[in-house]
Amino acid sequence: MSDAPAYRTELGRAPPEEGGYYILSYPEIPGCFGVGDTEAEAVEDGRRALIAALDALKAVDRPPPEARRGERA
């Protein structure tokens, strides 16, 4: 989906005692996130999750959330 809006992202990391994995989330799309052992894996997983979330909204004729361009989370 190359025409996807540019959504803000937040990249965090779980504590070592919880696995230390990376988490990428999209604040404008609640529940849409990616995880991975590296930042790159979390970003790629998040990209796939974003595409799936936007496709699911489209399938039920719901508009995607407004992307807040220019803002960084």
Side-chain angles (χ1 to χ4, degrees), residues 4 6 14 23 26 29 33 38-40 45-46 49 56 63-64 69-71:
I23 308 163
Y26 296 91
I29 306 175
F33 62 92
T38 66
E39 288 183 21
D45 193 48
R69 296 178 190 267
E71 293 183 23

Side-chain angles (χ1 to χ4, degrees), residues 11-37:
L11 182 63
R13 191 161 189 190
E17 61 272 9
E18 293 180 20
Y21 53 87
Y22 290 87
I23 308 163
L24 179 94
S25 63
Y26 296 91
E28 286 90 19
I29 306 175
C32 184
F33 62 92
V35 296
D37 290 330

